[in-house]
Amino acid sequence: MRCLDGILSELEISRVDFGKVETEGAELSVLYGARKLLNGESRPAMLVEVRDLRTRPFTPLAWGKTLQESRKRMVCCYPPCGEAVLVRRQFHRGGTACSVSAEFLPRPGAGKEIRYVKVLVTGSSGLIGSEAVEHFDRQGHEVTGVDNNMRREFFGPAGDTLWNLERLKRATKRFTHAELDIRDRVAMEELVRTQHFDLIVHCAAQPSHDKAREIPLVDFEVNALGTVNLLEATRQHLPEAVFVFLSTNKVYGDAPNEIPLKELEKRYDYARPEDYDGIDETCRIDRTLHSLFGASKAAADLVAQEYGRYFKMKVGVFRGGCLTGPSHSGVELHGFLSYLVKVTLHGGTYSVFGYKGKQVRDNIHSHDVVRAIEEFAANPRPGEVYNLGGGRANSISILEAIERIEQVSGKKLTWRYVEEARKGDHICYISNLAKFKKDYPKWKITRGLDAILEQLIASQRKQLP
């Protein structure tokens, strides 16, 4: 195999500002287009692209470094700005097909974004995982998804995510599914060691606090041990990769219930003006009743922070509120709005557990969750923690949700009230998004509550017999 220096020399290309290499299904699709102006300079930067080198993925070049100098894993990507290809040559050497391109590219500077071109998503058939797969695939990145459909094991046929996996296979171009168990340390280490991921989005979990009491060992193994397996494999083999962990607001246990509340006609709300925007990241996570699910996720949350802070890894932790979207396989034990819409349209009886049905949740669409992940990946803050939900604008009580869904769907819900509330459940939880918005000002909520409900209803109607 010929080295890149020889190829460039033969083609009389003396300077390379950026390198992009594609090898046997390990496509590093890092550019959307090119610009003709380079901060006022007329000299174009060069992109050199070499395909099918039959070798492990080449480490992309850092800006301003020569081929010999570049040793770090760095991939720079810019938003779409049109095509401006100057040169493209194709040739064969020793049976290996190669091509070289030169394009106008912007210089790095203010406003640049970093994207990661080889992505691992765990829980890839679930709500957030499948959204992440589609999002990064649409951008031209290579995505590997790990999912072994344990949601069916947890929740029975209603929780089966095979339908979503089949949908992903039809909808994507660069997605590869791996039916692996994150508890399998050897298998996960082998995957991370051999695939050279730039971004790891860890969504896989046992997600129900009611179910956790029935399977406490499995719950802890999946939520805590599985997370440590991935973190350690990343530390050993991909220490420069960005690692995003999907945690939960249940790490706060019932501490949010200590905030003074006022009871309104159809919801509870915060009584003090200073609490209006909701729960922020200073809320304590110990000396509270979590549920076993909340405790296992808190363990994973803390160890993820520690890998970021102690080992200086690019780890971010997102404590989600109610995450929702049309790809949710909602069941009674997990999936508030999704399951409520499903029962309203398909029939059955919905159970409201405690607090007079006035308990409040803020809801965030899976698209907005993935956009938050994308913003963090572009500028990671090691070991940082963020609350992530729909905020006050997307907050709703169960009574309000029932009323709204009945209005939009034209269907009447059959429901019953159970006096005993779920252990460790929140009475009123609204995510304070101020910290994330401050650190990542380009991010915002794009899907309002009405749009979310309309999409959920439309999705469920397609499944009606």
Side-chain angles (χ1 to χ4, degrees):
M1 184 187 69
R2 305 181 65 220
C3 69
L4 284 175
D5 296 85
I7 296 172
L8 298 177
S9 176
E10 180 177 294
L11 294 172
E12 298 180 352
I13 296 176
S14 60
R15 171 167 179 160
V16 175
D17 294 294
F18 190 91
K20 172 175 174 282
V21 180
E22 298 179 349
T23 68
E24 288 191 305
E27 182 182 14
L28 300 179
S29 303
V30 296
L31 296 172
Y32 290 103
R35 289 177 181 169
K36 293 182 179 179
L37 297 179
L38 304 173
N39 293 342
E41 293 186 24
S42 59
R43 181 192 65 79
M46 305 289 287
L47 166 67
V48 173
E49 179 181 21
V50 180
R51 298 179 184 272
D52 299 325
L53 284 181
R54 308 277 191 261
T55 184
R56 61 181 292 175
F58 174 74
T59 300
L61 303 181
W63 282 96
K65 292 190 176 184
T66 66
L67 288 162
Q68 294 91 338
E69 292 172 337
S70 179
R71 291 293 181 267
K72 293 184 178 179
R73 296 180 61 84
M74 180 182 294
V75 179
C76 297
C77 180
Y78 294 82
C81 52
E83 296 291 336
V85 176
L86 296 179
V87 178
R88 185 174 184 84
R89 302 189 188 182
Q90 294 187 344
F91 56 95
H92 287 75
R93 286 290 184 272
T96 298
C98 300
S99 66
V100 176
S101 306
E103 303 184 18
F104 291 113
L105 300 176
R107 277 185 176 276
K112 86 171 181 182
E113 298 179 4
I114 297 180
R115 296 287 187 265
Y116 300 88
V117 297
K118 200 160 187 184
V119 184
L120 171 63
V121 179
T122 69
S124 54
S125 299
L127 172 66
I128 305 304
S130 62
E131 186 81 38
V133 167
E134 287 192 273
H135 182 84
F136 291 113
D137 178 83
R138 280 195 302 266
Q139 293 182 345
H141 305 322
E142 183 182 345
V143 184
T144 298
V146 167
D147 199 301
N148 63 344
N149 201 13
M150 280 199 76
R151 192 175 178 88
R152 180 184 175 90
E153 182 178 321
F154 296 145
F155 306 124
D160 196 319
T161 59
L162 184 60
W163 69 273
N164 204 19
L165 172 60
E166 294 304 317
R167 183 188 65 82
L168 284 177
K169 289 178 179 178
R170 294 190 301 269
T172 57
K173 297 179 180 179
R174 301 168 182 84
F175 167 60
T176 302
H177 175 248
E179 190 168 343
L180 299 175
D181 191 325
I182 61 171
R183 296 172 295 176
D184 188 337
R185 184 182 306 171
V186 174
M188 296 313 299
E189 182 179 13
E190 179 68 9
L191 179 69
V192 171
R193 182 183 64 82
T194 58
Q195 294 301 309
H196 312 286
F197 299 110
D198 298 287
L199 170 62
I200 297 170
V201 182
H202 179 33
C203 307
Q206 189 296 109
S208 167
H209 49 270
D210 286 339
K211 187 66 178 179
R213 68 185 178 190
E214 301 174 18
I215 50 169
L217 294 179
V218 172
D219 173 82
F220 195 86
E221 288 172 351
V222 171
N223 290 344
L225 182 60
T227 301
V228 175
N229 287 343
L230 274 167
L231 284 165
E232 181 60 15
T234 303
R235 183 178 78 90
Q236 292 293 338
H237 304 292
L238 302 171
E240 294 300 315
V242 174
F243 189 109
V244 175
F245 172 56
L246 269 294
S247 185
T248 171
N249 60 16
K250 298 302 187 291
V251 302
Y252 296 123
D254 60 2
N257 294 349
E258 298 169 4
I259 296 174
L261 299 174
K262 58 184 177 183
E263 184 177 354
L264 305 178
E265 181 184 358
K266 294 181 179 178
R267 67 152 59 192
Y268 286 102
D269 208 336
Y270 302 121
R272 303 179 304 196
E274 59 266 34
D275 298 319
Y276 180 82
D277 291 328
I279 309 298
D280 65 22
E281 295 80 1
T282 63
C283 182
R284 77 177 190 275
I285 67 171
D286 63 346
R287 294 170 290 117
T288 72
L289 178 65
H290 291 83
S291 80
L292 290 174
F293 159 74
S296 66
K297 291 292 282 189
D301 185 304
L302 286 173
V303 79
Q305 289 184 59
E306 201 65 20
Y307 268 76
R309 296 173 184 272
Y310 190 90
F311 294 118
K312 309 301 181 186
M313 289 170 59
K314 299 170 186 175
V315 178
V317 177
F318 289 91
R319 294 172 174 169
C322 278
L323 316 181
T324 193
S327 297
H328 209 175
S329 299
V331 294
E332 183 175 29
L333 297 180
H334 183 251
F336 166 40
L337 287 183
S338 174
Y339 182 67
L340 182 54
V341 168
K342 179 187 289 187
V343 176
T344 302
L345 268 65
H346 292 262
T349 301
Y350 185 85
S351 298
V352 177
F353 294 92
Y355 304 128
K356 307 176 186 177
K358 297 183 179 183
Q359 55 266 58
V360 172
R361 301 290 183 267
D362 65 328
N363 301 271
I364 182 170
H365 193 282
S366 52
H367 169 79
D368 289 330
V369 174
V370 174
R371 277 289 298 122
I373 293 169
E374 187 175 40
E375 288 297 313
F376 178 87
N379 185 24
R381 295 169 177 261
E384 200 53 88
V385 173
Y386 296 101
N387 286 350
L388 188 64
R392 175 162 286 276
N394 276 10
S395 68
I396 195 169
S397 72
I398 293 181
L399 293 181
E400 291 169 339
I402 292 172
E403 182 179 50
R404 191 91 63 95
I405 291 168
E406 288 180 338
Q407 289 173 351
V408 176
S409 69
K411 296 281 189 177
K412 193 73 176 176
L413 173 72
T414 300
W415 63 280
R416 69 187 183 100
Y417 182 70
V418 180
E419 188 68 37
E420 184 179 1
R422 288 169 165 159
K423 287 186 178 180
D425 206 10
H426 297 146
I427 303 173
C428 180
Y429 190 95
I430 297 173
S431 304
N432 189 323
L433 305 175
K435 179 181 176 182
F436 188 77
K437 287 183 174 181
K438 177 178 178 294
D439 288 350
Y440 300 94
K442 291 196 297 181
W443 180 85
K444 63 180 180 181
I445 294 289
T446 65
R447 308 302 201 261
L449 197 53
D450 287 339
I452 289 172
L453 291 176
E454 289 171 3
Q455 190 177 27
L456 289 174
I457 290 169
S459 176
Q460 284 297 323
R461 276 184 170 147
K462 290 179 181 178
Q463 301 177 35
L464 288 172

